[in-house]
Amino acid sequence: MKYARIIGTGSALPEKVLTNADLEKIVDTSDEWIRTRTGITQRHVAADGETTGDLGFLAATRALEAAGVRAEDLDMIVVGTTTPDLVFPSTACLIQHRLGANGCAAFDVNAACSGFVYALGVANAFIRSGQKKKVLVIGAETLTRMVDWTERESCVLFGDGAGAVVLEASDEPGILATRQHADGGYKHLLFSPVGVSVGFSDAPNHGVKITMAGREVFKVAVKTLDSLVGETLADAGMTEDQVDWLIPHQANLRIIEATAKRLNMSMDRVIVTVDKHANTSSGSVPLALDHAVRSGKVKRGQNLLLEAFGGGFTWASALIRY
Ligand code: UT7
C-alpha cells in the first residue's frame, strides 16, 4: 500500500451567523471595509456551550458516513486545533470516545491555522510507513472564543467551524507530497499573550486573545506561500498546469488571489469559502475541501493543492490526487 487516499469528507458549522452588518453595530467598522480588505461577508459563531469537540465530532461523523467506514475500524484520529475544549485530554480523545472508537491512537496537533494540513502530513506518514490503515483527520476550531469583540482589527476576521477527512491505505495514488515548515522567530506578529505559564488575567476571555500585526503577517504569508507551492510541486515532479484545484487556507481573499497568480491559476480553479466562513484557522482547509467535494466541483482523479499559513509562523501544504 503506497498511498494515503481520501475516501470521505465532512464538515460542520455553527448555526448562528454573524454578518458584516451585525459587526457594524458592535465595532467601528463597515461592510465595505471588511469585504474589500478581506473578502469576508459573514462568519459562523459557536453558541454558548458549543465546543471545538462538538463541531469536530459532527464533521467526523459526516466524513465517516461518506467514507462508509465504522468508527471502530479507525486506527488513528488526529485533530488540528488551537482551541481545544480542554488543555487535556486532547480534543482527539474527546471525539474518539463520542465516536465509539476507543483504543485507537488519538492526539491533537497545534500548528495554529496550519493545524489541519500539518495533521494530514502526520497521518500520511503513518499510513505510508505501513503503521496505520484507516485514519480520521479533523481540523476544528472555535476561534471566536479568543476574539476581543472590542478590537475591530481582529474581531471581523474570524469564525468557527470544522472539517474532516477519512484516509485509507491504498495502491491507488492519493496524497502525493506534503510539506511542513515553521519559524518561531515570528511569534511576536501573531500570538495569544496568556497561557498556562504566563498566567491568565481579568481581561475578557481571561486575556486569551488573538494578537496580530495584520499587515506584516500578510506580507510574510504571501511570500512564504509563493515558495511553498513551488517546492510542493517539485516534490511530486509536477507542474502548475497539472493542478486542477487550489484549496487554500481561507484568511484573506487577497492572499488567496496572490497565491493563485503565482500558480498561473484563474480564480475559477480556486475554492473560495472565506466569504461565507471567514478565517476558521485549522477548520478552513477541510471545510473548503468538503464544500468543494459535496458541490461536485472536485472530482475523483483530479489534483488538489492544499496550503495553509498561521501563527508560529507555521506553513504547510499537501498535493493530493483525489
Ligand atoms: O490565518 C492566520 C494568518 N492571518 C492572516 O493571514 C491575516 C493577514 N492580514 C490580513 O489579512 C490583513 O492585513 C488585514 C485584513 C488584517 C488588514 O488589512 P490591511 O489592508 O493590511 O489593513 P491595515 O491593517 O493596514 O489597516 C488599514 C486601515 C487602518 O487605518 P489607518 O491607519 O490607515 O487610518 C486601520 O486602523 O484600516 C483600519 N482598520 C479598519 N477599518 C475599519 C483596521 N481594521 C478595520 C476594520 N474596519 N475592521
Side-chain angles (χ1 to χ4, degrees):
M1 300 284 182
K2 259 179 78 185
Y3 295 101
R5 268 192 91 223
I6 295 178
I7 56 165
T9 67
S11 63
L13 289 160
E15 218 173 281
K16 185 179 168 191
V17 170
L18 199 64
T19 64
N20 291 350
D22 295 329
L23 281 171
E24 285 177 355
K25 293 175 201 142
I26 304 173
V27 283
D28 179 19
T29 190
S30 66
D31 173 55
E32 206 263 334
W33 190 96
I34 303 171
R35 267 190 299 105
T36 53
R37 300 283 177 140
T38 70
I40 298 166
T41 63
Q42 63 168 53
R43 70 284 296 138
H44 290 252
V45 176
D48 285 346
E50 190 174 31
T51 70
T52 293
D54 293 334
L55 296 171
F57 170 73
L58 253 184
T61 306
R62 290 167 182 159
L64 286 166
E65 194 186 316
V69 168
R70 295 178 315 168
E72 55 264 41
D73 294 331
L74 290 170
D75 300 313
M76 188 163 92
I77 300 172
V78 193
V79 177
T81 188
T82 317
T83 49
D85 293 15
L86 305 168
V87 173
F88 72 89
S90 67
T91 305
C93 285
L94 302 179
I95 293 174
Q96 179 205 47
H97 183 60
R98 286 174 72 177
L99 287 172
N102 291 9
C104 73
F107 57 96
D108 290 358
V109 169
N110 178 349
C113 296
S114 312
F116 173 80
V117 186
Y118 255 71
L120 202 61
V122 171
N124 180 49
F126 268 96
I127 289 177
R128 288 193 77 132
S129 70
Q131 291 184 66
K132 308 289 179 199
K133 290 207 163 40
K134 283 190 173 62
V135 180
L136 173 65
V137 186
I138 303 169
E141 303 274 13
T142 41
L143 227 64
T144 63
R145 296 254 155 76
M146 291 183 69
V147 159
D148 181 339
W149 293 103
T150 65
E151 285 188 4
R152 68 175 185 174
E153 291 79 10
S154 54
C155 75
V156 303
L157 303 174
F158 299 98
D160 302 327
V165 301
V166 179
L167 295 176
E168 186 177 56
S170 170
D171 288 325
E172 268 183 72
I175 297 179
L176 304 171
T178 70
R179 279 266 178 167
Q180 304 81 28
H181 292 284
D183 187 340
Y186 286 107
K187 178 218 143 192
H188 59 289
L189 294 182
L190 183 51
F191 66 105
S192 164
V194 304
V196 174
S197 298
V198 182
F200 296 94
S201 73
D202 294 334
N205 304 334
H206 309 288
V208 177
K209 69 169 184 175
I210 299 160
T211 309
M212 179 166 77
R215 204 177 305 178
E216 283 72 24
V217 176
F218 188 101
K219 280 188 219 148
V220 185
V222 169
K223 206 169 123 224
T224 309
L225 291 171
D226 184 25
S227 47
L228 178 68
V229 293
E231 67 190 26
T232 313
L233 286 169
D235 283 350
M238 286 171 60
T239 49
E240 291 140 0
D241 55 308
Q242 290 175 288
V243 177
D244 295 294
W245 292 101
L246 174 65
I247 308 185
H249 174 44
Q250 310 282 322
N252 186 315
L253 186 58
R254 290 184 292 144
I255 299 177
I256 295 172
E257 285 170 346
T259 310
K261 199 168 162 207
R262 154 72 179 77
L263 286 165
N264 293 317
M265 290 180 83
S266 62
M267 285 304 286
D268 54 9
R269 284 165 59 208
V270 181
I271 303 299
V272 175
T273 52
V274 68
D275 53 334
K276 296 282 189 291
H277 302 163
N279 183 348
T280 58
S281 186
S282 288
S284 99
V285 170
L287 259 167
L289 171 64
D290 185 51
H291 280 243
V293 167
R294 286 176 193 258
S295 67
K297 281 185 177 169
V298 163
K299 295 184 176 55
R300 284 284 169 204
Q302 290 187 321
N303 295 320
L304 319 178
L305 181 55
L306 280 48
E307 48 85 343
F309 180 91
F313 288 149
T314 58
W315 57 105
S317 61
L319 189 57
I320 299 170
R321 176 82 41 80
Y322 180 68

